[in-house]
Amino acid sequence: MSEAIPAAAIVDPAELGDKPVRAREVWRSLTRDPAALISIIVLVLLALIALAAPLLSPHDPLQTFPDQGLGPQGQPLPPGTPGFLLGTDALGRDLLSRLIYGAQVSLIIGIVANGLATAFGVLVGVVAGYFGGVVEAVLMRITDVVISFPILLLCTALIAVTTRSTFNVIIVIALIYWTTLARIIRGMVVSLKEREFVVASRTLGLSHRAIMWRHILPHLVPAIIVYTTLGVASSILIESALSFLGIGVPIPQASWGQMISDGSTYFQIAPWMLFIPGICLIVTVMAFNLVGDWLSDMLNSSTPTAR
Amino acid sequence: MSTSLLEVNDLEVTFRRSAGPGRKAASVPAVRGVSFQLEAGTTLGIAGESGSGKSTIARTLMGINTPSGGSMNLNGEDVTGLKGRRLAEYRQTMQMIFQDPYDSLDPRMTVSQTLLEAIKLRKTNKPVSPMAEVHELLDKVGLSRSFASRKPRELSGGQRQRVSIARALSVDPRLILCDEAVSALDVSVRAQVLNLLKDLQEELGLAYLFISHDLSTLRFMADYVGIMYLGKIVELGTRDEIFDRPQHPYTRALLSAVPEPLVIDRTVRLPRVRLTGEPPSSTNPPSGCSFHPRCPLAQDVCRTVSPAARPTASGQVAACHFADPELVVAEA
Amino acid sequence: MTALLEVSDLVVDFPTSSDGVFHAVDRVSFTVSAGERVGIVGESGSGKSLTSQALMRLVPSPGTVSQGTVLFEGEDVMSFSPKKLQTWRGSQTAMVFQDPMSSLNPLMRIGRQITESLQVHLGLSKAESRTRAIELLQKVGIPDAESRLSDFPGAFSGGMRQRVCIAIATACSPKLLIADEPTTALDVTVQAQVLDLLDNMASELNTGVILISHDLGVISSFCDRILVMYAGRIVEQGTAEQIVGDPQHPYTKALLASILKLGEPIPRRLRSISGAPPTAGHRPAGCSFAARCASVIDTCLTIDPALVPAENTRSTNTTAMSATTTFAGTPEQLVACGVAAPAAFAISEGATAA
C-alpha cells in the first residue's frame, strides 16, 4: 500500500511474469561486465587444460632431464629453450608440463575441498539457524572455535598428525573452510525462518525437514553459488600456502604452491621458476573472485526473493 | 461455556530479551493474563496499537510462541504446550492468514504447488484428487483456475491474499486467525477480501479471530470485540457494546482518534478524547493501571492498583476503576 | 492570491521492458497557495508519491520528468542549477516521509541532524542553532528537549521520531512542506497527534502543505483541497467538502463507498470496486477506470476523458448560481469523467483530433 519505493510500483507484474529467458539474461549481464567474461573464458580454458593434461603436456611432469634440461653449470634453463617452452626447474623437469599438471591438482583441490566445505557449512548453518536455541549455541560455538584458530597453524598441526597426501590436504582445507559459509547461511536462515511464508508452512503442519528442504534451501542457492565460487579461490590459495610450507601435496607431485616454493629458492638465478606459477596462481584466483562478484551482482538483482 | 470452540484462560506470554549494546537483558511480558472465548461460526475482533500483544496471542495460539502461563482449550481439549505430531494435528483445526501478502507465499512456488503442499498435509479426509481440490479452493476464494500455474510475483496484493486464504482453507480448519490480514491492502481491494471472508464464514461456518488496529474494519467483521493495551484486554464486549457504549477511556480515545471523512465526522456522538504520549514500553509497564500515564480520568488509585476486569452496567467487561457510565460522563 | 506552487502538465516517464515508455504520472496540474493544505489521495501505483518527488526533482532512476513545468513563486524549478536546487530544497521546501527511521541518520545525534541544516541554510552559529533546535523539539512536543539533543534516533519511539522529522522539516520555516504518508506507520492515537502537530506548524508558518496518503479519512480531515489520483492521473479535484460530500467521479464515489465509517450503520456487505487498477504500461484505450466502473458507457472505452469542471447539480443549480456565495472564490470542482461531465469527452476528442 505504501509507495515508499515508487520504482517497485513501476515494475509490471505481468512483465515479470513472463518466464525470464535465463540464457539471454545471463549473456546480457556478461556483456556489461567484460572482466567477468574474460575470467570465465580463463577458467574454462584452465579447466580444459587440466582435463587434457596428459595430451597437452610435452613431457612427463615428474621426469628429470639431467642432460638436456639443465645448463652447463647444472642451472635451470630459461623459457624459450627449444624443447622446454617455459624452461626447466632445478632438477631439469619441464616447467610447462609441471604447470599443466599443477593446474589439475590446484583445481581438484580447490573444487573438491571447497565442495565438501560448502556442503558441511550449509548443513551446519541451516540446522543452527533453523532450530536455534541449544543446537544453534553448540554449533556456532564450535564454528567460532574453528574460526579463531590461525588457519595455517591449524593446517600444520592437522597435517603433522596425518600423512602428507592430496586427500589429506583436501580434508584439512574442507575442515577449515566450512566455517565462514556456516555463519553466513545461519544468518540468512534466521531471517528466512521469520518470513511469513515459512511461518505459514509451519502452521500448516509441514515437517521441519520439508520446510528446510523446500522453503529455505532454495532461497539460499544464489548465496551458496557466490560464496562457493569465491571459496574456490581461497582453497587454491591455501593449498599453495601449504605446499609452499612443505606440508601440502606430497613431492614430487606438481602443484603450483610447490613450484612457487621451489622457485623461491632459485629466485636469484632462475626467477621464471617463481614468476610463471605465481602469475598462474594470481590469474586463477582473480578469475574466480571476479566471477564470484559477477554472480553475486547478477543473482541478487534478478532473484525475486532478494527484497 | 463448554461449547466454546476456543477458550483462552489467563494466557501469559513472556519474551526473554537478551542483553545488547546499551541495554540489559530483560523479560518482556507481551501478553499478561488474557482470557476470552470464541464460539463456532462467530468472529472475535482484537484491536490495539502496535506492541499491545495482539499478534502475540495469535502466534501463541498457533504454537509459534510458547505461553509462560495460562491455558488454551480447543473444542474442550487442553492444547497448551502440545508438541510434535499432536501439535501438527491441532494446528490444522486452526489456520492463520498473515499481514504481508508479499511475504506470506513462497516466491518460488506456483499457486498450485503451494496449495497442493497444504492439501497433502491434511490429516483427516485425505484428498482423492488433489488437483481437483486446488481448483475447488480457487473457486471458493474467487480466483479463476488459470491462477493455478502462476507465481506469487504475478499476482496483485489482493490476489495473493486470496491464495493465502485458499491455503488456510485447504486443511479444513474450524477457526482462522487473521492477523492484520487486510491492513496492507488498498481500500478498494480490502473491501473485496473482507466480503470474501464474510461469505466464507457463512458458507463454511468458520470462526475468526480477527486482529486489526483498524477499528472500522473490526466493526464490520466482528461479533465480539476485545481492546488490548500493553498485553491486557482492557475491554471486552459485543460489537455494539464496544462501539456504541465504550466504557474504558482507552477505547473511547481509540474510537475518537479514527480519522473519518469530515462530513460524517460532524455526527460523532462521543466526546473527542485526544491522548497525549505514546504507549509505554512493555518491558517496563507502568504501575497500577498500565494506561494511567495517558488517561484523562486517572486518579491516585490508578497509579497503585491494577483494575480487575469487571462487568459494567452496559454489558461488557472493562478493566477500569471508573468504568461506570455515570462516573465516566461526570469526569468527561 | 498568487500560487506558491504551480504544477502544470507534469509527466513522469518510466521505460518499460519492451522499450516503450509508460507515463507513471500523466499530465498532472495543480496549484498550492501559501498556507493551503492540499491532499493527494490514491491507491498504490496511482502516482501520488511520484508526483511529489517529481516536483522536488527527486524522481528515482530510471524515471524521468519528460514534460511539464513546476513554478515555485514564479520560478521554474525544472531549470534550477544543481546548487540552487540544493538551497531551494533545504530552505524553501521540506519533506516528511512515511518511515521516520530511514529518513534519520541512525549514527548521528538528533541535535546534530537538526542544527546541520540551520547552520547551512540559515547561517546560524553553533550556539544559536542549538538554542533553536531545543525550541523546535519543544514545539513538536518532545519532553526534556535539551537532554534529548544528544540522543541517537534509535532511542526514540516511532511517533517521537516522526516528531523529530517534523522538527527538522520545519527548522528553516519552509514555504512548502510535502508529507508523504507521514502517519501510515504510526498508531492511530499517535497519528492524530502528529496530524495536529503538522496542522499547527503549517498554520504558524503559513506553509503550503501537500499531504499524500492512501487514507481518505486522514486526507479529508486535514486538507482544504483534495486531488484524487488514479493510474497516474488526477481524476477528480475539489475542496474536501466537494470531494467527500458530493463526489462526481465514479472512482471517488466507489472509494468513499468502500470505506467503513464508524458513524454509519454496518452494511452486510461492503461495496467494493471489482478488479484491480491497470498495471504499469498496460493503460487501456479510453478511460483507465472503465474496466472497473459501474456507470461505464461505450464512449468510455474509446475516448480518454479530460479533466473538466464538474457539472454537478449543486453548482449548476440556478438558484445556487445566483446566490454564488458559498462557492465564490473557492476552486472549482474538476472531474475527468465523461459520464459525470460530458464536456470531458468533448474536450478530449478535440485534443486527440488536434
Side-chain angles (χ1 to χ4, degrees), chain A residues 97-235:
Chain A
S97 307
R98 287 184 69 74
L99 207 59
I100 291 172
Y101 276 91
Q104 207 177 30
V105 172
S106 287
L107 280 183
I108 287 174
I109 289 183
I111 290 167
V112 176
N114 199 58
L116 286 174
T118 301
F120 195 57
V122 170
L123 183 71
V124 170
V126 169
V127 170
Y130 183 80
F131 289 105
V134 182
V135 179
E136 180 179 23
V138 170
L139 287 175
M140 291 330 281
R141 284 309 81 73
I142 295 175
T143 314
D144 289 344
V145 168
V146 176
I147 285 179
S148 57
F149 268 111
I151 291 176
L152 281 178
L153 196 68
L154 190 61
C155 293
T156 321
L158 283 170
I159 305 256
V161 298
T162 57
T163 47
R164 199 177 160 183
S165 75
T166 308
F167 177 76
N168 281 346
V169 170
I170 289 176
I171 295 298
V172 166
I173 293 176
L175 277 179
I176 287 162
Y177 266 97
W178 60 271
T179 51
T180 325
L181 194 64
R183 273 193 168 176
I184 292 164
I185 294 293
R186 183 204 141 259
M188 295 180 69
V189 173
V190 164
S191 69
L192 264 172
K193 77 167 176 184
E194 293 302 322
R195 298 271 300 269
E196 286 182 352
F197 65 86
V198 176
V199 178
S201 45
R202 274 174 73 191
T203 63
L204 280 167
L206 208 63
S207 70
H208 292 310
R209 212 184 53 189
I211 292 176
M212 284 189 267
W213 196 247
R214 273 188 255 166
H215 294 290
I216 288 185
L217 204 58
H219 296 266
L220 302 173
V221 168
I224 294 174
I225 291 176
V226 170
Y227 286 106
T228 304
T229 315
L230 296 173
V232 172
S234 314
S235 301

Side-chain angles (χ1 to χ4, degrees), chain A residues 17-39:
Chain A
D18 296 338
K19 277 257 154 60
V21 186
R22 272 301 189 189
R24 206 179 68 190
E25 230 172 64
V26 170
W27 178 245
R28 238 206 225 160
S29 156
L30 264 181
T31 51
R32 281 196 299 264
D33 191 350
L37 183 60
I38 293 169
S39 302

Side-chain angles (χ1 to χ4, degrees), chain B residues 43 45 70 99 110-111 132 141 167 213 218 228 253 265 287 301 303 309:
Chain B
T43 304
Q99 170 172 10
T110 62
V111 169
V141 297
R167 178 177 58 189
H213 69 279
L218 281 186
M228 283 194 80
D265 215 11
S287 63
V301 61
R303 283 177 197 94

Side-chain angles (χ1 to χ4, degrees), chain A residues 1 195 204 214-215 219, chain B residues 92 100 103 106 117 185:
Chain A
M1 163 167 306
R195 298 271 300 269
L204 280 167
R214 273 188 255 166
H215 294 290
H219 296 266
Chain B
Q92 299 204 337
D100 185 355
D103 200 42
D106 191 332
E117 183 184 77
L185 301 177

Side-chain angles (χ1 to χ4, degrees), chain C residues 90-94 113-119 121-122 124 129 132-133 135-137 139-140 163-174 177 201 205 207:
Chain C
S91 57
Q92 309 268 299
T93 62
Q113 302 197 39
I114 306 176
T115 54
E116 198 174 38
S117 70
L118 290 170
Q119 288 167 17
H121 294 296
L122 301 184
L124 296 185
S129 61
R132 177 98 176 95
E135 253 175 59
L136 283 165
L137 286 186
K139 230 180 227 171
V140 296
R163 285 164 196 269
V164 172
C165 289
I166 293 172
I168 294 175
T170 51
C172 300
S173 311
L177 179 70
M201 298 300 265
L205 304 168
T207 305

